């Protein structure tokens, strides 16, 4: 085996120009493939993390019909029992109750529809990182009376500033209209323009007092230590508490799951295209190498080298050639991805900040797992083996008597 | 017992279209220690016969026996293995492995035989000394003359300790001095180590050195005669 490996390795460098061109093509292909995949992953992972960690969380609990009908009286029953259950479950990192209402925000200039989010200022920062989006002013722990934080873009639309008053109008649990004045304590800025224009945040207790005389919760957001536990915990909650409905992040936001799957398929298709090109490159190179070395291979068979060893020689040559290039390609890709991870890739130069319209951050930080490099290596080896089967069979069919005489 | 023997060997190419009778009912027997030339004009069947003797081609009819074993009915994989241990080859175009040094080329066949590292090194050194290339063992084929490459090929053929060596036009690509030098080496091995050589050749210098000359015409044996050879040494 050692001698076969030695011949295979040296054969690669017999025609440095030809091997060099193939190696360069593989290096460029892998570099491009991994870079594009990591950018696509980064885009999607950022969007995923933004949604999960800023607002959606891994699972949410509501009244069974709340999400469909959004009636203020559709509150989570037995919320205290659920809180106790969640507090005692080791899979739960944190949770927070929310009081929600669809309403209108009104400034002296204009009014617009918004979702009013009443949040628990103690628990919400432990559950989501929404508070990190505060770009100006104070959080809801401000000393202002009835503080509200709104998106920068909404503030522009309403022509309001920090300290100004706005009026929030909404329905209470008795289906009566209620309204109250709130003072803008701070502004936030997320990577989604739509989100920023459609959400305002107040203290849960303030909204609760305006909507109902009782302590109510419309939504319990739960963040887990491991997202993979979402299914089992959701099932357990639904089994334990009949009067509520728990749903995982992908049930609440199917498009997020679709996006995650789409990201995986982008990586898959990019790699398939690269591997097909790679396979043809290897096939061409190995066929040329075999046609050039017919007599030599014939001699090897003539003097007693078994056809299994000849087969192995061609296979090893392909795999070694491809792996050499793959190492180079992946090293280059790793360096590029590392550089981009540190500095980010600003896509605003390609399309302004239009990505914000779709909830994507235009500054992308590529993301790729070590396992992805291992998968690519495995894929490259498999491709090399598959592509070298035909040349190897060609070599096996050589009749040493004929080729030596030629 | 004959080292190699053929019985009524025939080979027809394109039997269904335009049949070409490369060999017609050839029966020969070569004993251990013979130094035999197979001669004849182009197309007379020399190389075809040599390929049959080496198990590189299958006859249309008849059989080939090497050291008492019939090789014509062997499976291809068995035949390859049989060649590894029983038959040495020297080709007209040397056919060394270009990426290997002289020493590695000679060692290669012994590695295929799974011999020990020590034995391989010692035997390769010894054989390269014998063919006069002790100082060129790290040279690659591209760094050697044709004569030197053919001497490495002879050393390689001898390395596997075969029952006999088949040499197809071994001097055809060599200048006169290199050819005589190679012939000296081969006849010395034949004389001193009783190595059996069978050549196909056009080269009168080779024919003059052979103790047995088999002449072929149109695929059949025309003449099979022994001759007295005066040993000469050149180069």
């Amino acid at each position: 085996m050692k001698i076969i490996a030695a011949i295979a390795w040296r054969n690669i460098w017999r025609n440095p120009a030809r091997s060099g061109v193939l190696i360069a093509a593989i290096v460029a292909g892998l570099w491009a493939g991994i870079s594009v995949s990591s950018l696509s992953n980064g885009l999607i992972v950022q969007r995923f993390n933004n949604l999960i960690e800023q607002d959606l969380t891994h699972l949410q609990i509501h009244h069974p019909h709340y999400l469909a009908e959004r009636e203020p009286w559709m509150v989570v029953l037995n919320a205290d029992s659920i809180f106790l259950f969640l507090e005692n479950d080791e899979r739960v990192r944190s949770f927070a109750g929310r009081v929600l209402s669809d309403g209108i925000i009104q400034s002296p200039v204009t009014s617009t529809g918004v979702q009013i989010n009443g949040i628990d200022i103690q628990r919400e920062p432990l559950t989501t990182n929404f508070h990190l989006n505060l770009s100006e002013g104070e959080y809801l722990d401000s000393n202002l009376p009835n503080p509200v934080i709104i998106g920068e873009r909404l503030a522009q639309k309403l022509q309001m500033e920090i300290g100004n008053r706005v009026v929030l109008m909404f329905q209470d649990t008795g289906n009566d209209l209620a309204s109250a004045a709130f003072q803008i304590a701070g502004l936030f800025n997320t990577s989604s323009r739509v989100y920023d224009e459609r959400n305002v945040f107040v203290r849960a207790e303030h909204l609760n007092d305006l909507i109902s005389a009782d302590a109510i919760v419309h939504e319990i957001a739960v963040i887990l230590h491991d997202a993979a536990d979402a299914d089992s915990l959701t099932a357990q909650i639904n089994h334990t508490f009949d009067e509520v409905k728990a749903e995982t992040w992908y049930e609440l936001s199917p498009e997020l799951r679709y996006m995650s799957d789409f990201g995986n398929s982008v990586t898959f298709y990019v790699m398939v295209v690269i591997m097909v090109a790679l396979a043809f490159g290897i096939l061409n190179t190995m066929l040329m190498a075999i046609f050039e070395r017919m007599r030599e291979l014939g001699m090897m068979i003539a003097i007693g080298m078994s056809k299994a060893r000849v087969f192995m020689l061609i296979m090893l040559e392909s795999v070694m050639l491809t792996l050499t290039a793959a190492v180079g390609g992946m090293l280059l890709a790793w360096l590029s991805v590392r550089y981009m991870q540190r500095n980010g890739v600003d896509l605003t130069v390609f399309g302004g900040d239009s990505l914000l319209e779709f909830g994507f951050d235009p500054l992308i930080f590529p993301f790729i797992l070590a396992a992805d490099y291992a998968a690519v290596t495995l894929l490259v080896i498999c491709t090399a083996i598959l592509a070298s089967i035909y040349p190897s069979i060609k070599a096996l069919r050589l009749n040493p008597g004929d080729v030596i005489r030629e | 017992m004959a080292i190699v023997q053929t019985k009524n060997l025939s080979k027809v190419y394109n039997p269904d279209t335009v049949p070409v009778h490369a060999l017609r009912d050839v029966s020969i027997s070569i004993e251990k220690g013979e130094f035999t030339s197979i001669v004849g004009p182009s197309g007379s069947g020399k190389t075809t016969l040599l390929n049959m003797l080496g198990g590189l081609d299958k006859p249309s009819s008849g059989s080939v026996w090497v050291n008492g074993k019939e090789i014509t009915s062997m499976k291809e994989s068995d035949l390859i293995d049989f060649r590894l241990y029983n038959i040495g080859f020297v080709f007209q175009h040397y056919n060394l492995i270009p990426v290997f040094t002289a020493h590695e080329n000679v060692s290669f066949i012994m590695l295929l035989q799974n011999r020990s590292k020590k034995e391989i090194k010692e035997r390769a050194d010894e054989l390269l000394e014998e063919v006069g290339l002790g100082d060129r063992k790290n040279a690659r084929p591209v760094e050697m003359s044709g004569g030197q490459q053919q001497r490495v090929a002879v050393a390689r053929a001898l390395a596997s300790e075969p029952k006999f060596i088949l040499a197809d036009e071994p001097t055809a690509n060599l200048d006169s001095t290199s050819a005589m030098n190679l012939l000296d080496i081969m006849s010395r091995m034949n004389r001193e180590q009783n190595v059996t050589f069978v050549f196909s050749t056009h080269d009168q210098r080779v024919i003059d050195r052979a103790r047995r000359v088999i002449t072929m015409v149109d695929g059949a044996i025309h003449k099979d005669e022994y001759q007295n050879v005066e040993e000469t040494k050149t180069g």
Side-chain angles (χ1 to χ4, degrees):
Chain A
M1 187 64 186
K2 203 174 157 193
I3 189 73
I4 307 289
I7 303 177
W9 179 250
R10 292 188 202 177
N11 275 339
I12 293 172
W13 308 111
R14 271 166 83 158
N15 193 330
R18 188 168 60 211
S19 297
V21 167
L22 182 63
I23 286 171
I26 297 171
V27 167
L30 284 181
W31 169 76
I34 291 173
S35 300
V36 167
S37 298
S38 67
L39 278 172
S40 158
N41 282 345
L43 191 74
I44 287 161
V45 166
Q46 273 171 253
R47 173 72 177 143
F48 184 86
N49 288 343
N50 283 348
L51 272 178
I52 295 284
E53 289 173 14
Q54 282 185 15
D55 180 47
L56 192 61
T57 67
H58 291 128
L59 68 95
Q60 291 184 356
I61 303 163
H62 301 97
H63 179 281
H65 303 294
Y66 180 77
L67 287 179
E69 298 175 28
R70 298 185 73 84
E71 293 289 348
W73 59 267
M74 291 178 173
V75 299
V76 176
L77 295 176
N78 290 324
D80 289 339
S81 309
I82 297 172
F83 289 154
L84 191 64
F85 171 87
L86 293 173
E87 253 169 12
N88 292 321
D89 195 298
E90 287 183 348
R91 291 167 290 186
V92 177
R93 192 172 84 202
S94 180
F95 61 89
R98 294 168 179 168
V99 180
L100 306 175
S101 181
D102 293 329
I104 291 170
I105 186 168
Q106 214 172 6
S107 76
V109 178
T110 187
S111 61
T112 184
V114 288
Q115 176 171 304
I116 305 161
N117 300 276
I119 58 176
D120 178 337
I121 61 165
Q122 305 301 325
R123 295 207 65 94
E124 190 70 31
L126 301 173
T127 308
T128 66
N129 60 17
F130 174 78
H131 57 287
L132 300 177
N133 292 312
L134 196 71
S135 56
E136 214 179 312
E138 293 177 283
Y139 190 55
L140 292 171
D141 53 2
S142 159
N143 292 325
L144 290 173
N146 278 2
V148 60
I149 54 175
I150 67 173
E152 280 182 10
R153 291 177 191 95
L154 180 60
Q156 283 167 9
K157 194 172 170 181
L158 298 172
Q159 297 181 19
M160 293 280 101
E161 292 173 356
I162 291 171
N164 290 162
R165 279 170 186 262
V166 288
V167 174
L168 293 177
M169 292 175 67
F170 40 84
Q171 232 180 337
D172 64 18
T173 51
N175 287 336
D176 294 322
L177 272 180
S179 64
F182 285 80
Q183 200 163 359
I184 298 172
L187 302 177
F188 65 84
N189 185 15
T190 72
S191 57
S192 169
R193 184 170 287 174
V194 175
Y195 186 89
D196 292 359
E197 288 180 358
R198 297 278 302 157
N199 285 275
V200 300
F201 292 82
V202 297
R203 284 194 198 178
E205 64 270 25
H206 291 169
L207 188 59
N208 193 149
D209 290 346
L210 293 164
I211 287 180
S212 171
D214 304 320
I216 56 165
V217 170
H218 288 109
E219 180 173 281
I220 302 171
V222 184
I223 197 91
L224 306 175
H225 292 290
D226 183 354
D229 289 330
D231 281 330
S232 62
L233 184 61
T234 302
Q236 197 177 341
I237 292 168
N238 285 328
H239 181 74
T240 312
F241 302 98
D242 292 338
E243 61 280 10
V244 297
K245 186 177 182 187
E247 289 169 286
T248 59
W249 62 268
Y250 59 83
E251 289 167 322
L252 293 160
S253 179
E255 72 279 6
L256 194 59
R257 179 168 219 180
Y258 172 76
M259 196 170 65
S260 171
D261 293 345
F262 175 74
N264 292 336
S265 53
V266 165
T267 305
F268 174 76
Y269 287 116
V270 166
M271 291 321 291
V272 164
V273 169
I274 290 170
M275 291 303 141
V276 168
L278 170 65
F280 280 106
I282 295 169
L283 186 67
N284 179 49
T285 302
M286 293 315 296
L287 277 178
M288 283 175 73
I290 283 169
F291 286 135
E292 275 176 10
R293 292 179 0 226
M294 289 278 206
R295 192 186 285 165
E296 186 182 320
L297 292 166
M299 175 277 294
M300 288 176 173
I301 298 170
I303 66 172
M305 183 159 156
S306 68
K307 291 203 168 178
R309 280 173 158 158
V310 173
F311 188 84
M312 185 63 73
L313 173 67
I314 306 298
M315 283 278 178
L316 266 181
E317 235 176 280
S318 307
V319 172
M320 283 178 168
L321 177 67
T322 316
L323 266 185
T324 305
V327 168
M330 282 193 283
L331 188 67
L332 192 63
W334 179 74
L335 288 171
S336 308
V337 170
R338 207 159 157 236
Y339 175 81
M340 292 189 285
Q341 279 172 335
R342 279 186 188 163
N343 300 290
V345 179
D346 191 355
L347 293 186
T348 50
V349 289
F350 298 111
D353 55 359
S354 56
L355 275 172
L356 287 168
E357 300 287 350
F358 303 99
F360 290 96
D361 194 331
L363 184 65
I364 299 173
F365 294 89
F367 173 80
I368 192 153
L369 296 169
D372 292 333
Y373 287 106
V376 170
T377 308
L378 200 66
L379 207 60
V380 165
I381 293 173
C382 291
T383 307
I385 289 173
L386 286 175
S388 57
I389 285 176
Y390 178 65
S392 302
I393 289 172
K394 208 83 182 133
L396 290 190
R397 286 187 182 152
L398 289 178
N399 181 350
D402 292 342
V403 292
I404 291 167
R405 211 180 318 154
E406 276 166 13
Chain B
M1 188 175 66
I3 285 281
V4 59
Q5 195 176 14
T6 68
K7 292 178 183 172
N8 307 108
L9 202 61
S10 293
K11 177 73 180 178
V12 184
Y13 291 110
N14 312 322
D16 301 325
T17 51
V18 187
V20 177
H21 292 268
L23 289 180
R24 296 167 194 265
D25 208 23
V26 173
S27 295
I28 56 167
S29 179
I30 293 166
E31 304 293 325
K32 176 137 185 77
E34 281 194 7
F35 202 74
T36 304
S37 280
I38 299 171
V39 301
S42 291
S44 60
K46 304 184 299 287
T47 301
T48 306
L49 177 59
L50 221 64
N51 281 348
M52 299 285 167
L53 297 179
L56 297 179
D57 210 348
K58 296 265 181 191
S60 303
S61 64
S63 57
V64 179
W65 298 71
V66 175
N67 210 28
K69 268 194 182 165
E70 196 205 339
I71 64 167
T72 31
S73 58
M74 276 185 183
K75 277 198 307 186
E76 199 183 352
S77 55
D78 295 338
L79 196 53
I80 291 173
D81 209 39
F82 185 83
R83 286 198 298 260
L84 177 62
Y85 290 95
N86 295 280
I87 309 170
F89 292 91
V90 177
F91 305 103
Q92 181 181 341
H93 300 288
Y94 331 128
N95 288 15
L96 299 178
I97 298 173
V99 293
F100 275 179
T101 63
H103 194 273
E104 287 168 332
N105 265 289
V106 177
S107 303
F108 178 64
I109 199 158
M110 294 185 278
L111 284 162
L112 294 179
Q113 290 178 324
N114 294 320
R115 295 205 208 173
S116 73
K117 265 187 185 173
K118 185 170 175 272
E119 187 188 356
I120 290 169
K121 189 190 176 304
E122 284 173 3
R123 180 143 176 84
D125 285 343
E126 180 190 312
L127 285 166
L128 285 170
E129 286 293 341
E130 277 186 38
V131 297
L133 292 172
D135 57 340
R136 301 286 290 148
K137 59 185 180 186
N138 292 321
R140 294 199 178 191
V142 74
E143 297 159 350
M144 291 189 280
S145 68
Q148 287 175 326
Q149 289 187 55
Q150 198 61 304
R151 282 189 272 158
V152 175
V154 170
R156 179 181 66 188
L158 286 163
S160 63
E161 297 180 65
K163 302 286 182 295
F164 66 101
I165 290 175
L166 294 171
D168 186 12
E169 307 267 9
T171 56
N173 289 342
L174 302 183
D175 60 63
S176 183
T177 312
S178 301
M180 293 313 286
N181 201 350
L182 185 76
L183 282 169
D184 284 342
I185 289 167
M186 291 198 285
S187 41
R188 177 163 49 81
M189 301 235 168
N190 171 254
R191 209 171 50 243
E192 293 173 2
Q193 298 175 25
N194 206 26
V195 179
T196 309
F197 281 94
V198 182
F199 305 93
S200 76
T201 188
H202 283 107
D203 190 338
Q204 192 56 46
R205 294 164 302 190
V206 179
I207 299 168
D208 291 343
R209 300 287 283 271
R211 284 199 292 277
R212 182 181 176 188
V213 179
I214 298 170
T215 309
M216 296 193 70
V217 176
D218 293 336
I221 294 179
H222 177 65
K223 257 195 293 188
D224 185 353
E225 55 192 9
Y226 287 83
Q227 61 184 17
N228 284 324
V229 177
E230 190 186 330
E231 293 299 338
T232 55
K233 190 147 182 133
T234 51

